[in-house]
């Protein structure tokens, strides 16, 4: 399977998962890019009921990446776990084919680290636990998951003019408390990339003060 536009073995039969997002782009274009959120949600809900759709939405960082939405995506994947184990997967860069477990570690290690840290269990069990915790998470649960993932975000964020300030947990907790429900939902899943964007926003805001 390929992610996005990666396709290393065009001559061999495979699920071309990047085509899922191509269809979504075409649907948005047909609506002239207006009021597409409900369409996107319906499209995702439908295709998560297929094995290849479940893989796509669990491994592709497609907004929204909230705790609630990620729980739905992981639960969909877990429903198809046995048949999906029969396939081998290509992910991001050329190399050896991955097992399903390899794929999920490569794509969703952040979810397992943020939502079930320190668990010494098989990948399937950790994903199931992460999904269950995401599904019933309170705002405070999400904040604790965000804090667990913040060190990785800080390690990959690059240059920050006010790193000491934005890396301070007290500052982070204060700023997270000020996020409105929509902005908080965006980061509630604790995806590393979303947290990097949040750190950059905070750093920029500090520079304007």
């Amino acid at each position: 399977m390929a992610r996005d536009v990666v396709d290393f073995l065009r001559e061999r039969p495979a699920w071309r998962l990047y085509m899922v997002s191509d269809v979504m782009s075409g649907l948005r274009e047909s609506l002239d890019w207006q009021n597409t959120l409900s369409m996107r949600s319906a499209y995702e809900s439908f295709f998560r009921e297929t094995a290849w759709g479940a893989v796509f939405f669990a491994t592709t960082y497609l907004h929204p990446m909230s705790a609630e939405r990620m729980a739905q995506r992981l639960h969909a994947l877990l429903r198809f776990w046995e048949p999906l184990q029969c396939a081998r997967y290509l992910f991001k860069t050329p190399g050896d084919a991955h097992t399903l477990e390899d794929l999920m570690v490569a794509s969703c290690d952040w979810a397992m680290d943020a939502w079930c840290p320190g668990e010494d269990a098989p990948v399937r069990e950790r994903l199931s636990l992460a999904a269950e915790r995401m599904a019933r998470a309170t705002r405070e649960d999400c904040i604790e998951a965000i804090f667990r993932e913040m060190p990785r975000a800080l390690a990959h964020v690059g240059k920050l003019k006010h790193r000491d300030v934005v890396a301070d947990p007290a500052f982070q907790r204060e700023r997270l408390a000020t996020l409105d429900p929509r902005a908080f939902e965006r980061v509630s899943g604790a995806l590393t990339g979303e947290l990097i964007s949040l750190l950059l926003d905070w750093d920029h805001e500090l520079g304007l003060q």
Side-chain angles (χ1 to χ4, degrees):
M1 293 189 183
R3 177 185 174 189
D4 296 332
V5 296
V6 179
D7 198 349
F8 310 120
L9 302 171
R10 291 181 178 274
E11 72 281 3
R12 296 181 62 181
W15 288 339
R16 313 299 185 187
L17 293 194
Y18 62 83
M19 292 183 179
V20 178
S21 57
D22 287 349
V23 172
M24 185 175 291
S25 295
L27 290 171
R28 290 200 299 266
E29 185 176 353
S30 70
L31 294 175
D32 198 24
W33 307 94
Q34 301 296 315
N35 302 318
T36 62
L37 291 180
S38 59
M39 177 276 295
R40 288 179 58 184
S41 293
Y43 176 87
E44 177 177 338
S45 294
F46 177 80
F47 281 104
R48 281 203 314 259
E49 296 304 310
T50 66
W52 50 270
V55 172
F56 175 81
F57 285 107
T59 61
T60 303
Y61 304 149
L62 196 66
H63 295 297
M65 295 293 295
S66 65
E68 179 183 8
R69 185 61 64 92
M70 277 307 302
Q72 295 170 354
R73 290 169 176 171
L74 292 178
H75 278 137
L77 176 87
L78 290 164
R79 287 197 298 271
F80 293 104
W81 190 266
E82 284 81 7
L84 288 172
Q85 280 189 308
C86 299
R88 289 297 177 264
Y89 303 86
L90 299 177
F91 187 71
K92 290 187 177 180
T93 56
D96 295 335
H98 294 302
T99 65
L100 180 60
E101 288 83 356
D102 294 336
L103 175 69
M104 298 315 298
V105 169
S107 61
C108 289
D109 58 338
W110 61 272
M112 292 183 281
D113 291 343
W115 290 94
C116 48
E119 294 286 342
D120 185 15
V123 171
R124 182 180 185 178
E125 292 180 24
R126 293 191 71 198
L127 288 173
S128 179
L129 181 57
E132 290 298 328
R133 289 177 176 174
M134 285 180 179
R136 62 174 186 265
T138 64
R139 185 176 176 117
E140 188 58 34
D141 293 333
C142 293
I143 288 175
E144 293 307 313
I146 288 168
F147 281 152
R148 286 190 286 270
E149 192 61 16
M150 270 295 186
R152 190 191 325 224
L154 283 162
H156 290 89
V157 70
K159 186 176 181 180
L160 293 170
K161 294 181 179 179
H162 309 90
R163 180 175 288 271
D164 290 344
V165 177
V166 299
D168 182 357
F171 172 87
Q172 294 170 6
R173 186 174 290 277
E174 177 184 339
R175 288 302 179 100
L176 287 168
T178 67
L179 295 178
D180 62 45
R182 185 173 181 178
F184 186 82
E185 182 183 21
R186 185 180 180 95
V187 299
S188 63
L191 173 67
T192 314
E194 295 290 359
L195 301 186
I196 288 174
S197 295
L198 195 60
L199 291 168
L200 290 170
D201 288 344
W202 290 342
D203 191 60
H204 178 68
E205 291 167 6
L206 289 169
L208 297 177
Q209 295 176 3

